């Protein structure tokens, strides 16, 4: 059992990785070239497992994902530098599954869609900053069935079937 530590030229810490039986095990950390934490990963038996965290230079969380057996599995959340949620997406063993929602800087919903086995399914909606629908589409098995687009006042500007 050992801990591997690497450094940038000049002696600034780059990575800390725990090894058990010559395999990555537990937490691993990566730092940028000025010593700020940029990733915190978890390993089980040399494979990504559990919570994975990525950070902005200001120390705030940039993204958080969960892994199982080396594949993203569960909710993935991306954040703005302010800390506000930017996007939430669900995965099942590396495949997009279920609702995906993204947000404006102020926290209001910017759009949403759903996936079934990595393919768009159902309604796909995008909003203007003022909350009015910008794009309203319908998908089935990844194929576009219909699309309507609206200006910032809600007036329909295009329609496709």
């Amino acid at each position: 059992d050992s801990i591997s530590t690497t450094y940038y030229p000049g002696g600034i810490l780059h990575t800390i990785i725990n090894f058990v039986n010559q395999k990555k095990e537990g937490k691993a950390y990566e730092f940028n070239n000025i010593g700020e934490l940029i990733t915190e990963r978890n390993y089980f038996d040399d494979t990504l497992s559990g919570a994975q965290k990525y950070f902005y230079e200001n120390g705030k969380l940039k993204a958080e994902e969960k892994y199982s057996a080396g594949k993203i599995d569960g909710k993935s959340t991306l954040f703005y530098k302010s800390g506000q949620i930017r996007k939430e997406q669900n995965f099942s063993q590396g495949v997009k599954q279920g609702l995906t929602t993204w947000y404006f800087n102020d926290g209001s919903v910017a759009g949403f869609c759903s996936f079934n086995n990595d393919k768009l399914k159902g309604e796909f909606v995008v909003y203007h900053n003022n909350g009015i629908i910008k794009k309203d589409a319908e998908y089935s098995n990844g194929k576009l069935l219909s699309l309507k687009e609206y200006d910032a006042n809600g007036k329909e500007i295009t329609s496709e079937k």
Side-chain angles (χ1 to χ4, degrees):
D1 300 0
S2 65
I3 296 175
S4 169
T5 308
T6 63
Y7 296 88
Y8 288 102
I12 296 172
L13 184 61
H14 182 211
T15 62
I16 301 172
I17 303 170
N18 190 54
F19 286 87
V20 174
N21 296 324
Q22 299 180 352
K23 294 180 180 180
K24 293 176 189 171
E25 189 71 36
K27 292 201 181 292
Y29 303 93
E30 182 180 2
F31 302 86
N32 64 18
N33 61 4
I34 57 172
E36 298 165 330
L37 180 65
I38 55 173
T39 62
E40 179 184 299
R41 297 174 190 237
N42 284 285
Y43 289 90
F44 176 74
D45 198 29
D46 216 29
T47 304
L48 287 173
S49 182
Q52 314 299 316
K53 295 180 181 180
Y54 308 87
F55 300 91
Y56 286 108
E57 307 80 41
N58 66 7
K60 292 204 176 190
L61 198 56
K62 183 177 191 176
E64 185 170 29
E65 302 170 334
K66 291 185 176 55
Y67 276 71
S68 177
K71 294 182 180 179
I72 191 167
D73 191 50
K75 185 160 77 169
S76 167
T77 307
L78 306 179
F79 299 89
Y80 288 104
K81 281 188 176 182
S82 66
Q84 180 66 45
I85 293 174
R86 191 176 92 198
K87 181 179 181 182
E88 294 175 305
Q89 188 163 34
N90 294 289
F91 291 85
S92 178
Q93 287 298 299
V95 175
K96 291 178 210 157
Q97 193 71 33
L99 183 66
T100 293
T101 307
W102 53 101
Y103 302 88
F104 290 113
N105 295 3
D106 66 3
S108 61
V109 174
F112 64 88
C113 64
S114 289
F115 288 89
N116 184 33
N117 292 320
D118 247 356
K119 294 181 180 175
L120 283 167
K121 175 189 175 187
E123 197 172 22
F124 186 116
V125 177
V126 178
Y127 296 96
H128 288 281
N129 304 35
N130 63 8
I132 292 176
I133 292 176
K134 179 177 186 177
K135 175 180 168 180
D136 189 359
E138 185 75 24
Y139 284 84
S140 177
N141 203 27
K143 298 197 183 327
L144 179 65
L145 301 178
S146 65
L147 170 66
K148 290 182 180 180
E149 294 179 290
Y150 304 88
D151 67 17
N153 296 314
K155 181 180 175 204
E156 190 174 308
I157 51 177
T158 62
S159 181
E160 295 177 27
K161 284 219 175 196

